[in-house]
Amino acid sequence: MKTNVMKTGSMNTTGTIEVIEKTTPFQGYFRIDRYRFRHSLFNGGLSGEITREVFERGHAAAVLPFDPKTGEIILIEQFRAGALAASMPPWLLEVIAGIIEENETPENMSHREAQEEAGCHLGRLKKIGTFLMTPGGSSETITLFCGETLQQEQRSSYGLEEEGEDIRTHKMKAEEAFLLLSEGAITNAITAIALQWLELNQKQLVKEWQ
């Protein structure tokens, strides 16, 4: 099976991929697919046969709540086993995020997860972009938004008990979060992207939402 793909971006070049075989050696809560393929080379011709496993966990969305009236954002804090396995502090400051369910849009998921993880009711959403998280081994994308904070229900913790979630929220001025990022206290990649975007676009966003 041959598939022609267009590489978008400044290069705007066309390449060819020849998929020889696709199998699924593992299917559980997540899935692992194995691909055997060749692809065109920049200097011409095709590569040798390559085998790669791809971790399939679905696609996600994330949202950074922002109040344009007060200049405050909301970050969540929760335990992450992956950070523990990487020998990093396992309680992370993050944006709100979750897996997009079947027949659910990234926008709807952002509103749903904001209420589940932070008791936060959002208004307008501003799309920041869609990003591949670990394209060397996973197909997962995250569609990232900045969301207008309308109201937050104050509780000591948030999250769904049946999913083992134990989440607390941190409301702070956006500038405080920018400082945390510059000091290396933000180690979650999508959170870093969201904060950097807001730092560059805060004035325009406030003007737009007012």
Side-chain angles (χ1 to χ4, degrees):
M1 176 174 63
K2 285 190 176 182
T3 305
N4 292 320
V5 294
M6 177 68 71
K7 301 173 184 176
T8 59
S10 59
M11 297 298 100
N12 196 30
T13 57
T14 300
T16 299
I17 300 172
E18 180 185 352
V19 178
I20 302 165
E21 182 184 47
K22 175 188 173 184
T23 58
T24 303
F26 177 80
Q27 174 70 69
Y29 182 74
F30 297 124
R31 189 178 86 235
I32 295 178
D33 290 336
R34 178 176 291 130
Y35 291 83
R36 293 172 50 227
F37 61 92
R38 301 183 184 90
H39 64 77
S40 55
L41 300 172
F42 293 122
N43 61 357
L46 284 177
S47 68
E49 183 178 311
I50 299 170
T51 300
R52 291 288 185 272
E53 287 77 33
V54 176
F55 179 53
E56 296 285 353
R57 69 183 304 268
H59 299 281
V63 60
L64 173 65
F66 171 68
D67 188 336
K69 298 183 181 66
T70 65
E72 293 177 315
I73 66 161
I74 295 173
L75 294 177
I76 64 172
E77 181 184 1
Q78 61 183 320
F79 178 87
R80 292 300 197 186
L84 177 66
S87 299
M88 298 179 69
W91 277 274
L92 302 185
L93 284 175
E94 303 176 338
V95 291
I96 295 162
I99 298 296
I100 301 169
E101 296 180 354
E102 189 175 357
N103 299 320
E104 185 177 41
T105 67
E107 290 82 1
N108 288 342
M109 192 242 73
S110 297
H111 284 281
R112 173 175 60 81
E113 287 287 344
Q115 294 185 39
E116 291 178 5
E117 295 191 346
C120 185
H121 298 271
L122 299 178
R124 290 166 287 189
L125 297 177
K126 181 73 171 181
K127 184 176 178 180
I128 296 173
T130 299
F131 305 95
L132 286 158
M133 299 309 297
T134 50
S138 175
S139 67
E140 180 189 10
T141 62
I142 290 187
T143 301
L144 179 60
F145 300 94
C146 187
E148 179 188 22
T149 305
L150 299 180
Q151 180 185 357
Q152 186 188 20
E153 301 166 8
Q154 295 299 319
R155 301 199 295 269
S156 59
S157 64
Y158 304 84
L160 299 180
E161 185 176 350
E162 61 268 26
E163 294 184 5
E165 294 179 327
D166 178 44
I167 299 169
R168 67 176 174 181
T169 62
H170 297 268
K171 182 181 288 187
M172 64 188 78
K173 291 288 189 179
E175 288 71 21
E176 183 180 347
F178 303 154
L179 181 60
L180 289 173
L181 179 62
S182 69
E183 293 174 342
I186 305 295
T187 56
N188 174 278
I190 202 69
T191 303
I193 293 172
L195 291 175
Q196 288 176 334
W197 181 90
L198 183 61
E199 188 170 14
L200 291 172
N201 294 277
Q202 183 175 356
K203 290 182 179 179
Q204 179 60 34
L205 185 63
V206 169
K207 181 179 179 182
E208 181 178 327
W209 281 354
Q210 286 181 344

